[in-house]
Amino acid sequence: YNAINYNSGVSIGQGASSGTNGVAVGRQAGNGGSGTICIGDSSTGSGTNNIGIGRNSSVTGSGGAQDSIGIGASCATGFGQVICIGSGSAATAANQALLGGASTSITNLFIGKGVSSATPATNVTIQSTAGSGAAVSGSNLILTPGKAGDAATAGGLFKIQTSPAGSGTSLVDALTVAASGAVTMPSP
């Protein structure tokens, strides 16, 4: 292996090269960014304060991308202030967070104490940013189902599911909103 310390950066691995105050670990791992960390075979980075972990991970971007994190093989942040987690995940604009990618389909997200627990949290809150100071409004919270691929196809449904007494561990649709805006609620 090769280990090089250059411009206060550290490079470990055949052909690895780091930028100023950066770290590059792995064969052909490299970054030209300041304070950027790249770990994995052929991982690349640029900009400032980015972190890329995984084979062929890329934490680069136009306009001097900064403060992005990419974890997973072949993930690509491509912009500033992005979080990509999952093999093949790829941002399409700045200020995005992605969980899952082209080769890692994440279809269930659990928040709290895992999938199940004998002592689950009483409440779990998902909250957008609050205003700070007099006459400063909080931010809106918008939940959006998947968009259609073309104008002739409807987008995904928006559903709220519950597990009422008597249903065991099954979930039932408590509210469904179709792409047309039609709302369906079951009879009590």
Side-chain angles (χ1 to χ4, degrees), residues 18-103:
S18 70
T20 304
N21 299 318
V23 175
V25 178
R27 185 183 69 83
Q28 299 298 321
N31 72 69
S34 175
T36 293
I37 299 169
C38 294
I39 301 174
D41 178 29
S42 300
S43 60
T44 59
S46 65
T48 307
N49 301 327
N50 297 307
I51 300 171
I53 300 173
R55 185 171 194 263
N56 293 319
S57 63
S58 173
V59 288
T60 60
S62 58
Q66 64 182 20
D67 303 323
S68 290
I69 300 170
I71 301 174
S74 300
C75 66
T77 58
F79 301 89
Q81 299 175 336
V82 167
I83 300 171
C84 288
I85 300 175
S87 181
S89 60
T92 58
N95 304 309
Q96 291 182 338
L98 292 80
L99 181 59
S103 21

Side-chain angles (χ1 to χ4, degrees), residues 162-172:
T162 60
S163 181
S167 68
T169 58
S170 299
L171 292 171
V172 297

Side-chain angles (χ1 to χ4, degrees), residues 82-185:
V82 167
I83 300 171
C84 288
I85 300 175
S87 181
S89 60
T92 58
N95 304 309
Q96 291 182 338
L98 292 80
L99 181 59
S103 21
T104 52
S105 176
I106 307 297
T107 58
N108 285 293
L109 174 63
F110 296 89
I111 301 172
K113 292 187 174 182
V115 175
S116 64
S117 171
T119 58
T122 303
N123 297 307
V124 174
T125 302
I126 298 174
Q127 181 174 330
S128 58
T129 304
S132 177
V136 178
S137 299
S139 59
N140 297 329
L141 177 63
I142 300 170
L143 303 175
T144 306
K147 296 177 183 178
D150 60 42
T153 309
L157 298 174
F158 177 80
K159 290 186 176 189
I160 296 176
Q161 295 184 322
T162 60
S163 181
S167 68
T169 58
S170 299
L171 292 171
V172 297
D173 292 345
L175 172 75
T176 301
V177 180
S180 65
V183 177
T184 307
M185 295 177 66

